[in-house]
Amino acid sequence: MDSSNSREFLKDFNEIENYLKNKHNKGNYMSFHALVDKASQRNDRIVKRYLQDLKEIAELRNAIVHTYTEEVLAEPTDYVVELIEEIRSRLVVPPTVERFIKDVVTFHEDTTLREVLRNMKNKEYSQFPVVDQQKLVKTLVTDSGVANWLASHLNEESISIKGVQVKDLLPFDKRKQNYRFIPKEMSVYEAQDRFAQAAERGEKLVALIITKNGASTERILGIVTPWDVMET
């Protein structure tokens, strides 16, 4: 029987096991099942997603190792080999938020409301970073701020946006500080967790600002929204 599937399976299994040991248990020996449970309890998103698969894979691994002679008695199917490779790649080499690095439309406090509205329409974004002269992010201007500013003028016979600037919108924008800075090396799954954890706390986190090391004193490299990571 061709044992190529077994070799690939065991290679990926060992990488997963080493990853779990290094990240979740650097002390005494723990079984694979215990490592998986510990990682799940620590809210490791990928382990939790594949929890049952990992436990079943461990059983298959034991069958292969215990009978691994010249005659392989437990040969993984192509499906299982593809599954463990998928898990390995997501755990060991997860995609990072670098995929969201690109030129970001930013505004200054003296940017006009007309320019904000034009970009919201053309780009279909709901928030934009507001930067200073050194191009460091100081706040956000969001669709919520624009809507609240307009609502505050509803009693007027007509509303003119002539001369209105970003700095006029900010006092009306409750979401302007609802962002966090993250490093470009952060995994997409950790970014997902940031949004999920904020929601659990009852916070409305609308954006993650990517900088080189996750510092607010560094220039913006990209921006991540909940919609960006929803399907990852």
Side-chain angles (χ1 to χ4, degrees):
M1 180 183 294
D2 181 8
S3 61
S4 61
N5 276 7
S6 294
R7 286 193 294 270
E8 289 300 316
F9 176 90
L10 290 173
K11 173 177 172 291
D12 288 337
F13 183 92
N14 290 336
E15 286 195 41
I16 292 172
E17 186 172 37
N18 288 334
Y19 166 85
L20 293 174
K21 286 178 179 178
N22 292 332
K23 185 170 183 179
H24 297 291
N25 182 55
K26 297 180 180 179
N28 298 326
Y29 168 79
M30 292 182 68
S31 69
F32 187 84
H33 275 267
L35 285 169
V36 168
D37 285 335
K38 187 173 183 179
S40 179
Q41 291 165 5
R42 289 184 170 183
N43 290 319
D44 188 310
R45 178 179 289 270
I46 302 304
V47 171
K48 291 180 72 173
R49 179 182 297 181
Y50 293 100
L51 182 61
Q52 190 57 42
D53 290 323
L54 284 165
K55 291 186 175 183
E56 292 176 0
I57 282 169
E59 296 300 324
L60 177 56
R61 178 262 186 188
N62 290 338
I64 294 173
V65 169
H66 293 162
T67 62
Y68 199 61
T69 60
E70 292 184 3
E71 181 68 23
V72 177
L73 302 181
E75 181 71 9
T77 65
D78 290 342
Y79 169 78
V80 172
V81 172
E82 291 172 3
L83 175 61
I84 196 171
E85 164 58 22
E86 176 182 320
I87 298 173
R88 183 203 65 81
S89 65
R90 285 175 173 264
L91 274 176
V92 181
V93 284
T96 69
V97 295
E98 285 190 84
R99 64 168 63 182
F100 301 112
I101 290 180
K102 61 181 179 180
D103 290 336
V104 179
V105 176
T106 59
F107 298 137
H108 295 278
E109 287 196 347
D110 59 359
T111 301
T112 65
L113 173 54
R114 185 179 299 278
E115 180 70 6
V116 173
L117 292 172
R118 184 179 68 81
N119 276 276
M120 284 186 172
K121 176 183 178 182
N122 293 341
K123 303 292 185 181
E124 296 185 347
Y125 297 157
S126 58
Q127 60 266 321
F128 294 87
V130 179
V131 300
D132 61 15
Q133 295 304 315
Q134 286 72 46
K135 296 186 178 180
L136 303 181
V137 177
K138 293 304 178 184
T139 187
L140 296 180
V141 59
T142 76
D143 54 356
S144 175
V146 174
N148 290 338
W149 180 87
L150 290 169
S152 70
H153 293 78
L154 285 180
N155 292 331
E156 300 176 13
E157 290 186 5
S158 62
I159 301 176
S160 173
I161 65 172
K162 184 177 181 180
V164 179
Q165 299 177 328
V166 165
K167 62 184 177 183
D168 301 312
L169 305 174
L170 295 180
F172 298 90
D173 204 329
K174 296 180 181 179
R175 296 182 180 177
K176 63 179 181 292
Q177 298 300 331
N178 289 2
Y179 62 93
R180 300 291 183 272
F181 290 93
I182 59 172
K184 66 178 184 178
E185 300 298 330
M186 177 179 284
S187 76
V188 172
Y189 309 122
E190 189 173 351
Q192 288 177 329
D193 288 338
R194 292 290 183 91
F195 288 115
Q197 291 163 5
E200 290 172 0
R201 295 192 299 268
E203 299 175 10
K204 180 63 177 180
L205 183 61
V206 299
L208 295 173
I209 305 296
I210 306 170
T211 62
K212 182 178 180 180
N213 300 299
S216 61
T217 53
E218 298 171 320
R219 292 191 176 187
I220 183 173
L221 299 177
I223 186 169
V224 184
T225 71
W227 290 103
D228 293 326
V229 297
M230 181 176 295
E231 299 300 328
T232 304

